[in-house]
Amino acid sequence: MTTEPPQRPRVLVARRLFDDVLEPLRQACQVQFNDDDRIADPAQLRAWMSDKDGALITGSERIDAALLEACPRLRVVSTMTVGFDHVDVAACARRGIVVTHAPDVLTQTTADFGIALLLAAARQIGDAERYLRAGEWRSWSADLFAGSDVHGSTLGIVGMGRIGREVARRAALGFGAAILYHNRSRLPEELERPIGARYCGLDELLEQSDHVLLALPFSAQARHLIGREQLARMRRGATLVNIGRGGLVDEAALAQALHGGHLGAAGLDVFEGEPRVDPVLLGAPRLVLTPHIASASLPTRRAMVRLAMDNLLAVLAGRPALTPVAAGAA
Ligand code: DGY
């Protein structure tokens, strides 16, 4: 009697990632790669995923109930991102599909970038560079691109998860900043004490901070957490930085606060509706814009892909995921 060799699981890799990192996946599974690296529209994604056991995705693929309906074999969705607002976790749980994400591996790199974007915004590095390249620099003057200081300032951090805490640590220990934070819950004292972080309400944080940095995930409740009213509460000349998710900030209100001069500067790495960027932002002064690159150092992006692959392989082999998204997570 001959027995058929067991079928290797079928897997989709939804974007072009790092071939050498993904070699073990290629060995263990039948892999369909998106060699064009274009973001698939919902119909294309459905066609690709309908016969798959697993999918390795990025933040650009939306996994919703309608898509899952068309994927009867799917057992695991592994996103290479730490954020998972693009995956309907509840719908996956109802179908017994494991969702995994990629925390920890990007924390330090993303926190580095949070500080970089804060400095770039507060010191107007973006506008200054464009001015120089445009040949507009005729003479030195005392107030040319004179921004605000980060050292010795008060930094308010909204969202004190792993990344927020690492930004706080850098700002407190490296720049002597006083740290205020607002979070779903207060941190244990042993985490607050070494960086002198003080927990407070959002309004107080906005009123007392020289710079405000958002490092929280997106949820429907957090949409436009920073709108016209919150921007008005911020100190005149303050800086706003968003490395969390697009949608946390009302972009039209932000542009207005910059044009009107109430806000000193801003830095955005994430946008509502990205990769489209609202033209209202492109015309705003003292605003640094970057294309969602906070975690984009090469070693970190490779580590994110590796973790996503290891999660996928673990679940497909019947082992527990390394970093699952908790079933009740929104
Ligand atoms: C994440 O991992 O959620 C980041 O935003 C993507 O770099």
Side-chain angles (χ1 to χ4, degrees), residues 40-122:
D41 62 30
Q44 175 72 85
L45 197 57
R46 199 174 322 121
W48 283 344
M49 283 180 58
S50 58
D51 65 343
K52 299 297 185 289
D53 302 291
L56 198 167
I57 62 166
T58 70
S60 304
E61 290 73 42
R62 183 152 295 280
I63 308 293
D64 57 19
L67 170 69
L68 296 174
E69 194 72 37
C71 305
R73 300 171 57 112
L74 197 65
R75 286 152 57 196
V76 52
V77 172
S78 173
T79 180
M80 64 167 283
T81 55
V82 63
F84 47 83
D85 50 294
H86 53 300
V87 180
D88 186 337
V89 177
C92 286
R94 284 196 296 275
R95 293 180 160 269
I97 298 167
V98 178
V99 180
T100 69
H101 67 144
D104 301 320
V105 286
L106 47 53
T107 301
Q108 303 297 335
T109 297
T110 305
D112 285 354
F113 191 85
I115 294 289
L117 193 53
L118 170 58
L119 286 167

Side-chain angles (χ1 to χ4, degrees), residues 252-277:
L254 172 64
Q256 231 172 47
L258 287 163
H259 279 295
H262 179 72
L263 211 61
L268 300 178
D269 184 50
V270 285
F271 304 87
E272 194 158 26
E274 64 185 51
R276 198 190 71 89
V277 175

Side-chain angles (χ1 to χ4, degrees), residues 80-83 106 244-245 292 295 301 304:
M80 64 167 283
T81 55
V82 63
L106 47 53
R245 273 292 179 271
H292 202 147
S295 66
R301 285 284 163 90
M304 292 161 74

Side-chain angles (χ1 to χ4, degrees), residues 13 30 83 115 118 126 130 155 176 186 195 200 263 274 290 307 315:
V13 174
Q30 303 174 58
I115 294 289
L118 170 58
R130 278 188 296 280
L155 172 63
R186 191 175 162 178
I195 52 173
C200 64
L263 211 61
E274 64 185 51
T290 51
L307 178 54
V315 177

